[in-house]
Amino acid sequence: MNLAPRASTSRSGRLAAILAALSLAAGLQLGLADDASAAVTAGPVFNDPTGTVAEQRAIRTLLLDHIGQSASGSSIKASVYHLWDEGLAQALADARARGVDVQLMLDESDVSDNADDPSYPVLAAALGTDLTQDSFVGLCPVNKSCLGQPALGASINHNKFWLFSQVDGASNVVVQTSSNMTPSSYSRFWNDAYVLPGNTAIYTAYSDYFAELAGKTERTGDPAVEHLSSTPPFRVAM
């Protein structure tokens, strides 16, 4: 990632506040959630690449559960670096078929680095690729994050998060994670996710940020936004 010095802006300050609030939520657990979030447990989820298949895929299982519990009329929005998981892609396609708006932004290398993987074709067929529609799968530009500035060099879409407007009675669910949706992320790397339901302010801020990724709002041009990732680098299981 390009971490050149940058001036502080209101947008970067707002995102810093989001991350601070997520850190606070980790200590307070349900303290920031409202009563409508009772069906979804707030807190961390970890995979174990050295464990059983279920332990390796703990974060994947969490997301599949949330996708499956998303009702017609609700929305799912996600930003992911790589999604090479046909089963998860099909779950998103199935959600779209039952009336969920599904919006997904991926790094361009999701396709160019693994052209034979069937996940993107499944998503493109089910969601479409028109970013002006209610459902879509979009790719960031080549060698550039969705908000990256060419003058700062190459960049990647490495901030990985999932937003669920309604999950099994819980509303405004944010899942910030270090995990890509790939077999190696499950079986080779230690990853984490933090689930925060029922916090409208944080959910709205993430939604606004996603809208910028998808080009639906004016971009700030702030490198602090373009290279933001709130989760630490993953570790390889030895």
Side-chain angles (χ1 to χ4, degrees):
M1 291 187 179
N2 192 327
L3 296 176
R6 60 263 189 177
S8 175
T9 67
S10 60
R11 177 68 71 176
S12 61
R14 182 161 68 87
L15 285 167
I18 294 171
L19 300 182
L22 281 172
S23 298
L24 179 61
L28 296 181
Q29 295 295 317
L30 292 175
L32 290 179
D34 59 28
D35 292 339
S37 66
V40 173
T41 301
V45 176
F46 302 95
N47 79 319
D48 181 351
T50 67
T52 65
V53 171
E55 290 168 335
Q56 292 174 1
R57 298 190 172 197
I59 296 171
R60 178 184 190 268
T61 298
L62 167 79
L63 291 172
L64 282 173
D65 180 68
H66 286 5
I67 293 168
Q69 294 290 338
S70 294
S72 176
S74 67
S75 68
I76 299 171
K77 300 176 183 178
S79 170
V80 185
Y81 179 52
H82 288 158
L83 195 162
W84 299 333
D85 184 328
E86 187 177 7
L88 193 139
Q90 187 59 54
L92 290 167
D94 292 344
R96 178 68 192 109
R98 66 174 182 269
V100 179
D101 290 338
V102 180
Q103 301 181 358
L104 186 64
M105 292 302 300
L106 304 170
D107 195 82
E108 185 278 334
S109 63
D110 179 81
V111 174
S112 61
D113 283 2
N114 195 2
D116 293 333
D117 183 81
S119 303
Y120 181 80
V122 168
L123 293 167
L127 309 180
T129 58
D130 183 349
L131 273 60
T132 67
Q133 299 301 307
D134 292 333
S135 291
F136 58 77
V137 56
L139 298 174
C140 299
V142 177
N143 294 325
K144 182 171 158 313
S145 67
C146 289
L147 298 179
Q149 292 186 2
L152 298 177
S155 56
I156 58 176
N157 186 55
H158 211 244
N159 188 12
K160 298 173 282 289
F161 61 89
W162 295 73
L163 309 177
F164 302 88
S165 68
Q166 195 75 25
V167 179
D168 192 24
S171 60
N172 299 333
V173 178
V174 176
V175 180
Q176 176 75 58
T177 182
S178 64
S179 183
N180 288 301
M181 298 293 103
T182 66
S184 63
S185 292
Y186 312 146
S187 63
R188 293 189 57 212
F189 300 107
W190 299 89
N191 279 295
D192 61 85
Y194 193 85
V195 183
L196 183 63
N199 190 300
T200 302
I202 290 180
Y203 178 87
T204 299
Y206 266 89
S207 293
D208 290 346
Y209 175 50
F210 181 86
E212 290 196 7
L213 293 178
K216 292 179 177 292
T217 61
E218 182 179 355
R219 297 176 180 178
T220 65
D222 175 22
V225 175
E226 291 146 15
H227 301 285
L228 175 70
S229 178
S230 68
T231 49
F234 45 64
R235 294 187 296 114
V236 179
M238 304 300 291

PDB file of all heavy atoms in Angstrom, residues 75-102:
ATOM      1  N   SER A  75     -30.488  -5.068   2.054  1.00  0.00           N
ATOM      2  CA  SER A  75     -29.330  -4.876   1.173  1.00  0.00           C
ATOM      3  C   SER A  75     -28.076  -5.468   1.794  1.00  0.00           C
ATOM      4  O   SER A  75     -27.935  -5.551   3.015  1.00  0.00           O
ATOM      5  CB  SER A  75     -29.108  -3.386   0.886  1.00  0.00           C
ATOM      6  OG  SER A  75     -28.705  -2.703   2.052  1.00  0.00           O
ATOM      7  N   ILE A  76     -27.177  -5.890   0.914  1.00  0.00           N
ATOM      8  CA  ILE A  76     -25.837  -6.338   1.280  1.00  0.00           C
ATOM      9  C   ILE A  76     -24.861  -5.518   0.447  1.00  0.00           C
ATOM     10  O   ILE A  76     -24.995  -5.432  -0.779  1.00  0.00           O
ATOM     11  CB  ILE A  76     -25.629  -7.838   0.984  1.00  0.00           C
ATOM     12  CG1 ILE A  76     -26.613  -8.696   1.772  1.00  0.00           C
ATOM     13  CG2 ILE A  76     -24.193  -8.251   1.284  1.00  0.00           C
ATOM     14  CD1 ILE A  76     -26.606 -10.163   1.350  1.00  0.00           C
ATOM     15  N   LYS A  77     -23.884  -4.912   1.110  1.00  0.00           N
ATOM     16  CA  LYS A  77     -22.834  -4.183   0.407  1.00  0.00           C
ATOM     17  C   LYS A  77     -21.507  -4.693   0.943  1.00  0.00           C
ATOM     18  O   LYS A  77     -21.334  -4.868   2.147  1.00  0.00           O
ATOM     19  CB  LYS A  77     -22.949  -2.672   0.655  1.00  0.00           C
ATOM     20  CG  LYS A  77     -24.262  -2.070   0.197  1.00  0.00           C
ATOM     21  CD  LYS A  77     -24.356  -0.590   0.567  1.00  0.00           C
ATOM     22  CE  LYS A  77     -25.703  -0.007   0.168  1.00  0.00           C
ATOM     23  NZ  LYS A  77     -25.844   1.418   0.568  1.00  0.00           N
ATOM     24  N   ALA A  78     -20.554  -4.930   0.038  1.00  0.00           N
ATOM     25  CA  ALA A  78     -19.267  -5.460   0.487  1.00  0.00           C
ATOM     26  C   ALA A  78     -18.139  -4.943  -0.383  1.00  0.00           C
ATOM     27  O   ALA A  78     -18.285  -4.773  -1.592  1.00  0.00           O
ATOM     28  CB  ALA A  78     -19.282  -6.991   0.455  1.00  0.00           C
ATOM     29  N   SER A  79     -17.010  -4.705   0.268  1.00  0.00           N
ATOM     30  CA  SER A  79     -15.762  -4.385  -0.409  1.00  0.00           C
ATOM     31  C   SER A  79     -14.778  -5.493  -0.059  1.00  0.00           C
ATOM     32  O   SER A  79     -14.548  -5.783   1.119  1.00  0.00           O
ATOM     33  CB  SER A  79     -15.223  -3.027   0.060  1.00  0.00           C
ATOM     34  OG  SER A  79     -13.916  -2.802  -0.411  1.00  0.00           O
ATOM     35  N   VAL A  80     -14.216  -6.140  -1.085  1.00  0.00           N
ATOM     36  CA  VAL A  80     -13.316  -7.280  -0.877  1.00  0.00           C
ATOM     37  C   VAL A  80     -12.161  -7.161  -1.858  1.00  0.00           C
ATOM     38  O   VAL A  80     -12.330  -6.674  -2.976  1.00  0.00           O
ATOM     39  CB  VAL A  80     -14.065  -8.622  -1.102  1.00  0.00           C
ATOM     40  CG1 VAL A  80     -13.161  -9.806  -0.763  1.00  0.00           C
ATOM     41  CG2 VAL A  80     -15.334  -8.683  -0.263  1.00  0.00           C
ATOM     42  N   TYR A  81     -10.992  -7.605  -1.434  1.00  0.00           N
ATOM     43  CA  TYR A  81      -9.842  -7.636  -2.342  1.00  0.00           C
ATOM     44  C   TYR A  81     -10.022  -8.776  -3.343  1.00  0.00           C
ATOM     45  O   TYR A  81     -10.123  -8.541  -4.545  1.00  0.00           O
ATOM     46  CB  TYR A  81      -8.560  -7.801  -1.533  1.00  0.00           C
ATOM     47  CG  TYR A  81      -7.294  -7.873  -2.344  1.00  0.00           C
ATOM     48  CD1 TYR A  81      -6.991  -6.911  -3.299  1.00  0.00           C
ATOM     49  CD2 TYR A  81      -6.377  -8.909  -2.134  1.00  0.00           C
ATOM     50  CE1 TYR A  81      -5.813  -6.971  -4.034  1.00  0.00           C
ATOM     51  CE2 TYR A  81      -5.201  -8.976  -2.864  1.00  0.00           C
ATOM     52  CZ  TYR A  81      -4.917  -8.005  -3.808  1.00  0.00           C
ATOM     53  OH  TYR A  81      -3.761  -8.082  -4.538  1.00  0.00           O
ATOM     54  N   HIS A  82     -10.096 -10.014  -2.865  1.00  0.00           N
ATOM     55  CA  HIS A  82     -10.319 -11.172  -3.733  1.00  0.00           C
ATOM     56  C   HIS A  82     -11.462 -12.020  -3.203  1.00  0.00           C
ATOM     57  O   HIS A  82     -11.540 -12.296  -1.997  1.00  0.00           O
ATOM     58  CB  HIS A  82      -9.059 -12.048  -3.811  1.00  0.00           C
ATOM     59  CG  HIS A  82      -7.945 -11.445  -4.597  1.00  0.00           C
ATOM     60  ND1 HIS A  82      -6.629 -11.822  -4.438  1.00  0.00           N
ATOM     61  CD2 HIS A  82      -7.944 -10.483  -5.574  1.00  0.00           C
ATOM     62  CE1 HIS A  82      -5.863 -11.127  -5.269  1.00  0.00           C
ATOM     63  NE2 HIS A  82      -6.642 -10.303  -5.961  1.00  0.00           N
ATOM     64  N   LEU A  83     -12.335 -12.450  -4.098  1.00  0.00           N
ATOM     65  CA  LEU A  83     -13.402 -13.383  -3.776  1.00  0.00           C
ATOM     66  C   LEU A  83     -13.313 -14.539  -4.772  1.00  0.00           C
ATOM     67  O   LEU A  83     -13.796 -14.450  -5.891  1.00  0.00           O
ATOM     68  CB  LEU A  83     -14.775 -12.700  -3.850  1.00  0.00           C
ATOM     69  CG  LEU A  83     -15.953 -13.439  -3.212  1.00  0.00           C
ATOM     70  CD1 LEU A  83     -17.124 -12.485  -2.960  1.00  0.00           C
ATOM     71  CD2 LEU A  83     -16.439 -14.621  -4.044  1.00  0.00           C
ATOM     72  N   TRP A  84     -12.657 -15.615  -4.323  1.00  0.00           N
ATOM     73  CA  TRP A  84     -12.496 -16.826  -5.125  1.00  0.00           C
ATOM     74  C   TRP A  84     -13.150 -17.979  -4.381  1.00  0.00           C
ATOM     75  O   TRP A  84     -12.487 -18.871  -3.862  1.00  0.00           O
ATOM     76  CB  TRP A  84     -11.016 -17.105  -5.387  1.00  0.00           C
ATOM     77  CG  TRP A  84     -10.319 -16.010  -6.156  1.00  0.00           C
ATOM     78  CD1 TRP A  84     -10.883 -15.132  -7.029  1.00  0.00           C
ATOM     79  CD2 TRP A  84      -8.921 -15.686  -6.109  1.00  0.00           C
ATOM     80  NE1 TRP A  84      -9.936 -14.272  -7.550  1.00  0.00           N
ATOM     81  CE2 TRP A  84      -8.717 -14.586  -7.004  1.00  0.00           C
ATOM     82  CE3 TRP A  84      -7.833 -16.198  -5.421  1.00  0.00           C
ATOM     83  CZ2 TRP A  84      -7.460 -14.009  -7.203  1.00  0.00           C
ATOM     84  CZ3 TRP A  84      -6.577 -15.631  -5.615  1.00  0.00           C
ATOM     85  CH2 TRP A  84      -6.396 -14.548  -6.500  1.00  0.00           C
ATOM     86  N   ASP A  85     -14.444 -17.921  -4.286  1.00  0.00           N
ATOM     87  CA  ASP A  85     -15.215 -18.894  -3.505  1.00  0.00           C
ATOM     88  C   ASP A  85     -16.574 -19.031  -4.195  1.00  0.00           C
ATOM     89  O   ASP A  85     -17.472 -18.206  -3.973  1.00  0.00           O
ATOM     90  CB  ASP A  85     -15.359 -18.413  -2.066  1.00  0.00           C
ATOM     91  CG  ASP A  85     -16.069 -19.396  -1.161  1.00  0.00           C
ATOM     92  OD1 ASP A  85     -16.952 -20.125  -1.646  1.00  0.00           O
ATOM     93  OD2 ASP A  85     -15.760 -19.426   0.054  1.00  0.00           O
ATOM     94  N   GLU A  86     -16.716 -20.046  -5.029  1.00  0.00           N
ATOM     95  CA  GLU A  86     -17.932 -20.177  -5.820  1.00  0.00           C
ATOM     96  C   GLU A  86     -19.167 -20.359  -4.942  1.00  0.00           C
ATOM     97  O   GLU A  86     -20.254 -19.854  -5.263  1.00  0.00           O
ATOM     98  CB  GLU A  86     -17.809 -21.348  -6.792  1.00  0.00           C
ATOM     99  CG  GLU A  86     -18.971 -21.457  -7.768  1.00  0.00           C
ATOM    100  CD  GLU A  86     -18.801 -22.571  -8.769  1.00  0.00           C
ATOM    101  OE1 GLU A  86     -17.835 -23.364  -8.631  1.00  0.00           O
ATOM    102  OE2 GLU A  86     -19.633 -22.667  -9.700  1.00  0.00           O
ATOM    103  N   GLY A  87     -19.014 -21.072  -3.819  1.00  0.00           N
ATOM    104  CA  GLY A  87     -20.155 -21.265  -2.926  1.00  0.00           C
ATOM    105  C   GLY A  87     -20.643 -19.966  -2.333  1.00  0.00           C
ATOM    106  O   GLY A  87     -21.858 -19.723  -2.249  1.00  0.00           O
ATOM    107  N   LEU A  88     -19.723 -19.100  -1.923  1.00  0.00           N
ATOM    108  CA  LEU A  88     -20.122 -17.814  -1.373  1.00  0.00           C
ATOM    109  C   LEU A  88     -20.702 -16.921  -2.469  1.00  0.00           C
ATOM    110  O   LEU A  88     -21.676 -16.197  -2.242  1.00  0.00           O
ATOM    111  CB  LEU A  88     -18.935 -17.149  -0.687  1.00  0.00           C
ATOM    112  CG  LEU A  88     -19.285 -15.946   0.191  1.00  0.00           C
ATOM    113  CD1 LEU A  88     -18.480 -15.977   1.480  1.00  0.00           C
ATOM    114  CD2 LEU A  88     -19.051 -14.637  -0.550  1.00  0.00           C
ATOM    115  N   ALA A  89     -20.103 -16.967  -3.658  1.00  0.00           N
ATOM    116  CA  ALA A  89     -20.642 -16.203  -4.783  1.00  0.00           C
ATOM    117  C   ALA A  89     -22.070 -16.647  -5.094  1.00  0.00           C
ATOM    118  O   ALA A  89     -22.956 -15.817  -5.351  1.00  0.00           O
ATOM    119  CB  ALA A  89     -19.762 -16.371  -6.015  1.00  0.00           C
ATOM    120  N   GLN A  90     -22.322 -17.947  -5.047  1.00  0.00           N
ATOM    121  CA  GLN A  90     -23.665 -18.443  -5.315  1.00  0.00           C
ATOM    122  C   GLN A  90     -24.635 -18.018  -4.227  1.00  0.00           C
ATOM    123  O   GLN A  90     -25.809 -17.725  -4.515  1.00  0.00           O
ATOM    124  CB  GLN A  90     -23.652 -19.969  -5.438  1.00  0.00           C
ATOM    125  CG  GLN A  90     -24.986 -20.553  -5.897  1.00  0.00           C
ATOM    126  CD  GLN A  90     -25.429 -20.018  -7.237  1.00  0.00           C
ATOM    127  OE1 GLN A  90     -24.676 -20.095  -8.224  1.00  0.00           O
ATOM    128  NE2 GLN A  90     -26.632 -19.464  -7.306  1.00  0.00           N
ATOM    129  N   ALA A  91     -24.180 -17.959  -2.976  1.00  0.00           N
ATOM    130  CA  ALA A  91     -25.040 -17.486  -1.885  1.00  0.00           C
ATOM    131  C   ALA A  91     -25.468 -16.041  -2.127  1.00  0.00           C
ATOM    132  O   ALA A  91     -26.624 -15.670  -1.874  1.00  0.00           O
ATOM    133  CB  ALA A  91     -24.318 -17.615  -0.548  1.00  0.00           C
ATOM    134  N   LEU A  92     -24.555 -15.216  -2.632  1.00  0.00           N
ATOM    135  CA  LEU A  92     -24.902 -13.831  -2.969  1.00  0.00           C
ATOM    136  C   LEU A  92     -25.869 -13.788  -4.147  1.00  0.00           C
ATOM    137  O   LEU A  92     -26.810 -12.978  -4.165  1.00  0.00           O
ATOM    138  CB  LEU A  92     -23.636 -13.042  -3.284  1.00  0.00           C
ATOM    139  CG  LEU A  92     -22.714 -12.764  -2.091  1.00  0.00           C
ATOM    140  CD1 LEU A  92     -21.354 -12.263  -2.566  1.00  0.00           C
ATOM    141  CD2 LEU A  92     -23.348 -11.756  -1.132  1.00  0.00           C
ATOM    142  N   ALA A  93     -25.657 -14.659  -5.126  1.00  0.00           N
ATOM    143  CA  ALA A  93     -26.584 -14.739  -6.263  1.00  0.00           C
ATOM    144  C   ALA A  93     -27.970 -15.166  -5.800  1.00  0.00           C
ATOM    145  O   ALA A  93     -28.989 -14.629  -6.261  1.00  0.00           O
ATOM    146  CB  ALA A  93     -26.043 -15.715  -7.311  1.00  0.00           C
ATOM    147  N   ASP A  94     -28.014 -16.130  -4.883  1.00  0.00           N
ATOM    148  CA  ASP A  94     -29.305 -16.591  -4.352  1.00  0.00           C
ATOM    149  C   ASP A  94     -30.005 -15.480  -3.570  1.00  0.00           C
ATOM    150  O   ASP A  94     -31.238 -15.348  -3.628  1.00  0.00           O
ATOM    151  CB  ASP A  94     -29.099 -17.805  -3.447  1.00  0.00           C
ATOM    152  CG  ASP A  94     -28.629 -19.039  -4.218  1.00  0.00           C
ATOM    153  OD1 ASP A  94     -28.751 -19.053  -5.452  1.00  0.00           O
ATOM    154  OD2 ASP A  94     -28.128 -19.970  -3.561  1.00  0.00           O
ATOM    155  N   ALA A  95     -29.218 -14.688  -2.841  1.00  0.00           N
ATOM    156  CA  ALA A  95     -29.805 -13.560  -2.104  1.00  0.00           C
ATOM    157  C   ALA A  95     -30.439 -12.574  -3.077  1.00  0.00           C
ATOM    158  O   ALA A  95     -31.553 -12.079  -2.841  1.00  0.00           O
ATOM    159  CB  ALA A  95     -28.738 -12.877  -1.256  1.00  0.00           C
ATOM    160  N   ARG A  96     -29.760 -12.302  -4.163  1.00  0.00           N
ATOM    161  CA  ARG A  96     -30.319 -11.397  -5.173  1.00  0.00           C
ATOM    162  C   ARG A  96     -31.620 -11.961  -5.734  1.00  0.00           C
ATOM    163  O   ARG A  96     -32.598 -11.230  -5.935  1.00  0.00           O
ATOM    164  CB  ARG A  96     -29.303 -11.185  -6.308  1.00  0.00           C
ATOM    165  CG  ARG A  96     -29.829 -10.306  -7.425  1.00  0.00           C
ATOM    166  CD  ARG A  96     -30.010  -8.873  -6.964  1.00  0.00           C
ATOM    167  NE  ARG A  96     -30.763  -8.096  -7.932  1.00  0.00           N
ATOM    168  CZ  ARG A  96     -32.008  -7.663  -7.754  1.00  0.00           C
ATOM    169  NH1 ARG A  96     -32.663  -7.946  -6.637  1.00  0.00           N
ATOM    170  NH2 ARG A  96     -32.603  -6.940  -8.663  1.00  0.00           N
ATOM    171  N   ALA A  97     -31.646 -13.278  -5.965  1.00  0.00           N
ATOM    172  CA  ALA A  97     -32.831 -13.905  -6.543  1.00  0.00           C
ATOM    173  C   ALA A  97     -34.044 -13.812  -5.630  1.00  0.00           C
ATOM    174  O   ALA A  97     -35.182 -13.801  -6.104  1.00  0.00           O
ATOM    175  CB  ALA A  97     -32.538 -15.367  -6.875  1.00  0.00           C
ATOM    176  N   ARG A  98     -33.831 -13.734  -4.331  1.00  0.00           N
ATOM    177  CA  ARG A  98     -34.970 -13.632  -3.411  1.00  0.00           C
ATOM    178  C   ARG A  98     -35.285 -12.181  -3.029  1.00  0.00           C
ATOM    179  O   ARG A  98     -36.083 -11.919  -2.130  1.00  0.00           O
ATOM    180  CB  ARG A  98     -34.744 -14.482  -2.165  1.00  0.00           C
ATOM    181  CG  ARG A  98     -33.621 -14.063  -1.263  1.00  0.00           C
ATOM    182  CD  ARG A  98     -33.599 -14.916   0.034  1.00  0.00           C
ATOM    183  NE  ARG A  98     -32.549 -14.468   0.921  1.00  0.00           N
ATOM    184  CZ  ARG A  98     -31.314 -14.938   0.936  1.00  0.00           C
ATOM    185  NH1 ARG A  98     -30.964 -15.902   0.082  1.00  0.00           N
ATOM    186  NH2 ARG A  98     -30.423 -14.456   1.775  1.00  0.00           N
ATOM    187  N   GLY A  99     -34.668 -11.218  -3.739  1.00  0.00           N
ATOM    188  CA  GLY A  99     -35.058  -9.826  -3.578  1.00  0.00           C
ATOM    189  C   GLY A  99     -34.157  -8.977  -2.723  1.00  0.00           C
ATOM    190  O   GLY A  99     -34.529  -7.864  -2.333  1.00  0.00           O
ATOM    191  N   VAL A 100     -32.949  -9.453  -2.429  1.00  0.00           N
ATOM    192  CA  VAL A 100     -31.977  -8.651  -1.684  1.00  0.00           C
ATOM    193  C   VAL A 100     -31.145  -7.848  -2.681  1.00  0.00           C
ATOM    194  O   VAL A 100     -30.703  -8.388  -3.706  1.00  0.00           O
ATOM    195  CB  VAL A 100     -31.049  -9.552  -0.840  1.00  0.00           C
ATOM    196  CG1 VAL A 100     -30.026  -8.714  -0.072  1.00  0.00           C
ATOM    197  CG2 VAL A 100     -31.867 -10.414   0.115  1.00  0.00           C
ATOM    198  N   ASP A 101     -30.943  -6.571  -2.414  1.00  0.00           N
ATOM    199  CA  ASP A 101     -30.029  -5.762  -3.226  1.00  0.00           C
ATOM    200  C   ASP A 101     -28.605  -6.094  -2.805  1.00  0.00           C
ATOM    201  O   ASP A 101     -28.244  -5.936  -1.628  1.00  0.00           O
ATOM    202  CB  ASP A 101     -30.289  -4.275  -3.020  1.00  0.00           C
ATOM    203  CG  ASP A 101     -31.612  -3.821  -3.624  1.00  0.00           C
ATOM    204  OD1 ASP A 101     -32.117  -4.508  -4.532  1.00  0.00           O
ATOM    205  OD2 ASP A 101     -32.144  -2.795  -3.168  1.00  0.00           O
ATOM    206  N   VAL A 102     -27.794  -6.557  -3.744  1.00  0.00           N
ATOM    207  CA  VAL A 102     -26.425  -6.973  -3.455  1.00  0.00           C
ATOM    208  C   VAL A 102     -25.466  -6.117  -4.268  1.00  0.00           C
ATOM    209  O   VAL A 102     -25.543  -6.094  -5.504  1.00  0.00           O
ATOM    210  CB  VAL A 102     -26.209  -8.464  -3.785  1.00  0.00           C
ATOM    211  CG1 VAL A 102     -24.772  -8.868  -3.468  1.00  0.00           C
ATOM    212  CG2 VAL A 102     -27.200  -9.342  -3.019  1.00  0.00           C
TER     213      VAL A 102
END
